[in-house]
Amino acid sequence: MNTHAQGHPPRLLLVEDDATSQGFFRAALEALPATVDIAGSVAQALRMGSAVRHDLWLVDVHLPDGSGHALLRQLRALHPQVPALAHTADNGADIRRSLHEAGFERVLVKPMTRAELQAAVREGLGQATAGEAPASEDAAAPDWDEGAALSALNGQQAHVVALRELFLSELPVARDAVSVALRQHDDGALRRQLHRLQASCGFVGASRLGRAVRQLHQAPESDMARRQFDAAVSALLH
């Protein structure tokens, strides 16, 4: 049943496997207000999508057990008319084109601001909204960019603190996963790990690490890029 059409808060399905990104999305979406169901995988999203007809889907492009493209095809087989937004840290023209061709109404590039996310969701739900220009990157790349983090979370300092604590608790695991992928020359695993980490860095304002992640993604064989990545991680953890 479509509760949004009956005047109740819309029910959204968020498909996102990164805990830090989940925290950002949940806080922004519940403030609309909206009811948010969160799935961390294709399989979980399909179970939720089968049980409930959501008003809108927000789907990560890269998931542990499949792609956002494939998930959308399967969800649309269940509910053909539900609008869908894709979210990804990859801002390339090719990925945007493929997502639009797959049927996503809009592609959101992580990190985005809270206002940008809310505007896109309101637009997807058919509500009038005003847009906001994306925040610019700090060329100096400090360890923490307070302005970027507060902008992403609409000035909510408590949310910044909470997400940073979660981010730092998971950072050692992410660092180790990147190291393993580099040692094993597993390009697919490396891209997935860096994709998730880049989005998380943007949401919490980890500017130096975010830049190091982008450089490592562009040149994974570069010793300098690897050293910069290790140094940026160490600076945050010590």
Side-chain angles (χ1 to χ4, degrees), residues 143 171 208-210 212 227-237:
D143 288 339
L171 185 54
R208 179 184 174 190
L209 179 56
R227 287 197 299 271
Q228 289 176 339
F229 174 80
D230 291 338
V233 172
S234 296
L236 295 179
L237 293 177

Side-chain angles (χ1 to χ4, degrees), residues 14 35 68 81 87 97 101 124 158 168 188-189 201 236:
L14 169 65
T35 299
Q81 302 304 318
H87 49 94
R97 181 166 50 252
E101 290 173 353
L168 290 173
C201 286
L236 295 179

Side-chain angles (χ1 to χ4, degrees), residues 2 28 55 70 73 75 83 94 107 112 117 145 149 163 169 212 223 233 235 238:
N2 190 321
D55 296 294
R73 286 195 299 271
L75 286 173
D94 289 342
V107 179
M112 78 286 290
L117 173 60
D145 185 336
L163 278 185
S169 72
D223 289 338
V233 172
H238 297 96

Side-chain angles (χ1 to χ4, degrees), residues 142-146 148-149 152 160 164 200-208:
D143 288 339
W144 296 114
D145 185 336
E146 296 297 329
V160 172
R164 281 185 179 169
S200 298
C201 286
F203 290 137
V204 300
S207 298
R208 179 184 174 190

Side-chain angles (χ1 to χ4, degrees), residues 158-221:
H159 290 168
V160 172
V161 172
L163 278 185
R164 281 185 179 169
E165 289 178 355
L166 178 60
F167 173 77
L168 290 173
S169 72
E170 296 194 330
L171 185 54
V173 176
R175 174 199 57 198
D176 293 345
V178 168
S179 298
V180 170
L182 285 169
R183 286 198 306 271
Q184 296 179 348
H185 302 285
D186 188 337
D187 293 339
L190 180 62
R191 284 195 302 271
R192 289 192 296 273
Q193 291 297 331
L194 293 178
H195 173 91
R196 294 178 60 190
L197 194 52
Q198 182 177 334
S200 298
C201 286
F203 290 137
V204 300
S207 298
R208 179 184 174 190
L209 179 56
R211 186 167 71 175
V213 166
R214 288 191 293 275
Q215 291 172 341
L216 186 58
H217 189 277
Q218 293 167 2
E221 301 302 323

Side-chain angles (χ1 to χ4, degrees), residues 125-139:
L125 292 169
Q127 301 175 15
T129 185
E132 176 182 313
S136 60
E137 181 178 0
D138 184 351

